[in-house]
């Protein structure tokens, strides 16, 4: 049973001036519910950590954590293949979110060297298996280190993002990593996310303004057309049902 957190200092202000495209009361309620989930993770599923890729959803969560002062750590995975715009946002986030320390995890250098030696610097284009192997080296192994000793992790997953995420539950057991996964924005729409960003003037990745709704590694992400699935630009050369990197494998929902 979650209880609404009193942490968010600007919640009532938000209700007065949310984007006209989104009902202010609805967003006010969504923020309260998201705060309650973060609060639940930080109190009942501690230690909790927020995974921040610096995409729009994660920036909202980072802002909620910063404003609310929730006792959760924050980490990001630098695969070594990110866009310059993402690095720019990482840098500006240091001054915008002064009360939050963001830990950066890098891939194991020996594993990257081995992959490149065997398959080439862009070997991930050759097959789904080699793409998954690259994600395993550059993302999954560092993720294991980031989650070590944690009881829950907080993610920016939303159900409407793709076919692979439609069963996302607000709290579910992450079998692969052996801890609870909390997704406070699971029920948020894209409009909800951007209404929040506009209202609180949260810094965002410049690529969003160039047609990138979802941002990952530079060689594996491209802009999408307005009518396309938000994650259609991720590993676009693969079938839609394989387009996950392993950070969020498909599995049955839990509590
Ligand atoms: Fe490698 Fe692409 Fe996965 Fe990044 S998204 S880890 S470059 S395969």
């Amino acid at each position: 049973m979650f209880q609404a957190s009193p942490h968010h200092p600007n919640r009532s202000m938000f209700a007065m001036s949310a984007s006209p495209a989104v009902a202010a009361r609805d967003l006010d309620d969504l923020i309260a519910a998201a705060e309650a989930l973060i609060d639940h993770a930080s109190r009942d599923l501690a230690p909790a950590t927020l995974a921040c890729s610096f995409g729009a959803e994660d920036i909202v969560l980072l802002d909620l954590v910063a404003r609310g002062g929730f006792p959760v750590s924050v980490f990001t995975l630098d695969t070594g293949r990110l866009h310059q715009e993402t690095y720019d946002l990482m840098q500006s986030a240091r001054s915008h979110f002064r009360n939050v320390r963001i830990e950066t995890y890098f891939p194991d250098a020996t594993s990257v060297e081995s992959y490149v030696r065997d398959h080439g610097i862009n070997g991930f284009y050759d097959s789904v298996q080699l793409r998954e192997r690259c994600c395993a080296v550059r993302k999954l192994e560092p993720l294991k280190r980031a989650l070590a000793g944690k009881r829950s992790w907080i993610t920016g997953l939303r159900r409407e993002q793709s076919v692979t995420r439609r069963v996302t539950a607000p709290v579910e057991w992450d079998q692969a990593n052996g801890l609870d996964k909390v997704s406070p924005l699971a029920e948020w729409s894209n409009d909800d996310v951007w209404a929040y960003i506009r209202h609180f003037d949260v810094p965002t990745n410049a690529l969003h303004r160039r047609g990138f709704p979802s941002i990952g590694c530079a060689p594996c992400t491209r802009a999408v057309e307005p009518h396309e699935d938000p994650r259609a630009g991720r590993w676009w050369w693969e079938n839609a049902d394989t387009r996950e990197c392993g950070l969020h494998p498909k599995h049955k929902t839990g509590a």
Side-chain angles (χ1 to χ4, degrees), residues 79 81 124 130-131 134-135 138-139 217 219-220 234-235 245:
T79 65
R81 301 299 301 265
F124 42 79
L130 285 182
R131 198 272 293 166
C134 184
C135 286
R138 292 185 183 271
K139 294 182 177 179
C217 291
C220 300
R234 305 292 297 277
W235 310 290
C245 57

Side-chain angles (χ1 to χ4, degrees), residues 5 19 28-29 31 52-53 67 100 113 122 131 150 174 189 196 215 221 236 238:
S5 164
S19 162
D28 213 24
D29 291 344
I31 290 172
C52 181
S53 69
R67 287 175 183 278
V100 177
E113 289 167 359
N122 287 341
R131 198 272 293 166
K150 302 297 188 297
D174 179 347
S189 69
Y196 183 101
I215 301 168
T221 311
W236 66 92
E238 297 181 6

Side-chain angles (χ1 to χ4, degrees), residues 81-91 205-207 216 218:
R81 301 299 301 265
L82 302 179
H83 296 84
Q84 181 59 45
E85 290 85 349
T86 303
Y87 291 118
D88 291 343
L89 180 57
M90 279 186 189
Q91 189 66 26
N205 196 312
L207 291 172

Side-chain angles (χ1 to χ4, degrees), residues 112-251:
V112 172
E113 289 167 359
S114 175
Y115 181 95
V116 173
R117 184 186 314 117
D118 293 344
H119 309 296
I121 192 71
N122 287 341
F124 42 79
Y125 288 133
D126 292 346
S127 69
V128 172
Q129 290 71 29
L130 285 182
R131 198 272 293 166
E132 290 176 340
R133 179 63 193 146
C134 184
C135 286
V137 168
R138 292 185 183 271
K139 294 182 177 179
L140 299 189
E141 189 280 328
L143 176 71
K144 293 278 185 207
R145 279 186 275 125
L147 297 183
K150 302 297 188 297
R151 193 171 159 204
S152 65
W153 64 310
I154 301 169
T155 81
L157 294 184
R158 290 190 299 109
R159 285 185 191 140
E160 70 167 25
Q161 282 173 321
S162 70
V163 294
T164 59
R165 297 186 172 185
R166 287 199 183 125
V167 295
T168 299
V171 181
E172 55 192 339
W173 178 248
D174 179 347
Q175 185 69 38
N177 292 302
L179 76 176
D180 281 302
K181 182 158 66 174
V182 179
S183 301
L185 308 186
E187 297 181 10
W188 288 41
S189 69
N190 186 58
D191 282 349
D192 295 333
V193 170
W194 284 95
Y196 183 101
I197 287 170
R198 281 193 295 273
H199 180 80
F200 292 109
D201 197 22
V202 187
T204 56
N205 196 312
L207 291 172
H208 289 309
R209 295 184 283 285
R210 292 183 226 148
F212 289 73
S214 176
I215 301 168
C217 291
C220 300
T221 311
R222 70 176 183 181
V224 304
E225 297 296 328
H227 64 276
E228 287 187 292
D229 181 296
R231 286 178 64 83
R234 305 292 297 277
W235 310 290
W236 66 92
W237 62 93
E238 297 181 6
N239 293 327
D241 60 0
T242 67
R243 291 179 194 161
E244 290 288 355
C245 57
L247 296 183
H248 305 292
K250 290 174 285 185
H251 58 291

